[in-house]
Amino acid sequence: TCLRVRTSRRRNPVPQFFRYDWGEHFDEKGDDVLLDVPEEAATLTVWEEPQPGMVYVLAADPSYGSSPDADRYAATMWKCFPDALVEVAAYATPLGAMYQFAWVLAHLAGLFRVNGEDHLILEIGGPGRAVHEELERMANYGFGMTARSGRIQEVLGGIQHFLYRRADSMSGQMAWHFNTTTEGRIQIFEQLRDAVERGALVPRSAELVEELSALRRDEDSGRIEAGGVAKDDLAFTAALAVHCWLQNVIPEIEDAVAPLTPPRNQPAHVGESVLRHFLGGLRQQEPGEETRTVYGVTMRGPGR
């Protein structure tokens, strides 16, 4: 599995590298807050520009949020399909402050929302609460709630914050985001393992791929974490993204977004659907023959 994931990176788009240059206030530098830098100086890597109409999951783990060894601010952005999650951006740095990490999440959410929507899932334990509170303050200030000039100010309005409910809860009571416990960590890492082994997760960050390969289960506690001196900050955000995708996103998009890998004998894109529909229309429908709809296009029979 690790070999397959590593070799799949050969198909990655050429990435762009950036670094945030914040001022004293979130909107002080406007859209110039992102600087183009060499790879070795970058904190943000972007493989794909935002695409209109797509749904994204932004998963974030503040420094020392998920564990005492997770010493970096880490976030990954994922494009959602009914059958896959594709990494489109990654942010990681040991430097900064909690409020600046909240600014990074707000900026990425606004950048990738376009005409679609974002789902934000945040490790809220410990320092994560400070990040969530800063996001709430920004919403109270009106970022994303009123018409302003500049893309950097078009944030927060379309973010769907993840609401967590225990799987064994009968009351249905919700909590903000994800507060890691030993049981919860095992749950989301098992979901991550399933997604990777089934090819549903498409990681593009070399660092994330290495972190996934370094995950180990402790024989005594059952806890899943990086072995040796390896880190697992980005791997933890990938686990959060998979959890949010399974719980909240798939039910919303499975009838509206085509799969990344279409089922066998199904059209791979809208153009193929239209062509099949046209060719199928050249013959008359047989008596009693049923019609079917694929990605919004009505088809007859096998469509050949």
Side-chain angles (χ1 to χ4, degrees):
T1 299
C2 294
L3 178 61
R4 174 180 54 79
V5 172
R6 286 192 179 100
T7 55
S8 68
R9 293 190 61 252
R10 298 172 183 172
R11 299 188 295 270
N12 282 357
V14 177
Q16 303 177 67
F17 302 103
F18 303 98
R19 180 173 62 84
Y20 281 99
D21 184 28
W22 297 111
E24 292 186 7
H25 307 285
F26 173 70
D27 55 352
E28 179 177 322
K29 297 188 177 182
D31 293 334
D32 296 329
V33 70
L34 272 184
L35 303 178
D36 289 282
V37 295
E39 180 178 2
E40 58 272 12
T43 57
L44 174 67
T45 304
V46 178
W47 287 272
E48 285 187 23
E49 295 287 340
Q51 296 181 7
M54 293 302 299
V55 177
Y56 294 91
V57 167
L58 176 58
D61 180 25
S63 180
Y64 299 105
S66 59
S67 76
D69 300 322
D71 59 353
R72 295 179 299 172
Y73 299 93
T76 48
M77 180 72 75
W78 302 84
K79 184 168 63 174
C80 300
F81 297 88
D83 61 335
L85 275 178
V86 179
E87 186 181 17
V88 296
Y91 174 85
T93 178
L95 306 175
M98 290 297 165
Y99 70 91
Q100 288 185 343
F101 187 56
W103 292 358
V104 169
L105 300 183
H107 179 260
L108 288 175
L111 186 66
F112 277 87
R113 188 170 72 242
V114 197
N115 299 325
E117 61 185 25
D118 286 334
H119 290 258
L120 172 63
I121 180 169
L122 168 70
E123 165 52 52
I124 205 170
R129 297 189 184 277
V131 177
H132 178 68
E133 289 171 358
E134 177 66 15
L135 290 171
E136 287 188 320
R137 281 192 290 270
M138 294 176 70
N140 293 334
Y141 296 155
F143 289 105
M145 306 301 179
T146 57
R148 299 189 179 202
S149 60
R151 172 177 285 182
I152 194 173
Q153 295 173 323
E154 300 170 4
V155 300
L156 296 180
I159 300 176
Q160 294 192 35
H161 292 263
F162 180 80
L163 293 175
Y164 173 75
R165 181 171 65 88
R166 286 179 48 177
D168 58 350
S169 171
M170 298 293 290
S171 64
Q173 293 182 347
M174 300 290 188
W176 284 113
H177 296 289
F178 195 89
N179 191 355
T180 302
T181 61
T182 300
E183 293 80 7
R185 184 182 177 94
I186 293 174
Q187 175 196 359
I188 64 173
F189 270 98
E190 287 291 356
Q191 291 174 335
L192 173 66
R193 174 179 177 172
D194 288 346
V196 173
E197 290 187 347
R198 297 169 68 179
L201 194 78
V202 184
R204 287 171 167 166
S205 165
E207 195 170 9
L208 171 56
V209 170
E210 294 308 314
E211 288 188 15
L212 293 173
S213 302
L215 292 175
R216 300 289 184 272
R217 184 192 302 276
D218 183 84
E219 295 182 358
D220 297 324
S221 65
R223 179 184 172 91
I224 302 173
E225 57 189 354
V229 297
K231 297 182 180 297
D232 60 12
D233 312 70
L234 291 173
F236 183 81
T237 67
L240 287 179
V242 170
H243 183 64
C244 180
W245 174 63
L246 292 172
Q247 295 286 106
N248 289 10
V249 181
I250 290 181
E252 294 184 8
I253 69 172
E254 58 185 350
D255 294 328
V257 179
L260 179 64
T261 305
R264 184 175 298 179
N265 296 328
Q266 295 293 333
H269 49 76
V270 175
E272 186 176 344
S273 294
V274 173
L275 179 60
R276 289 189 182 188
H277 178 61
F278 172 75
L279 295 176
L282 294 180
R283 65 176 179 86
Q284 293 186 353
Q285 185 174 0
E286 299 294 335
E289 183 181 11
E290 296 183 355
T291 61
R292 57 198 176 98
T293 300
V294 179
Y295 309 149
V297 178
T298 301
M299 304 173 62
R300 300 187 182 94
R304 291 184 178 273

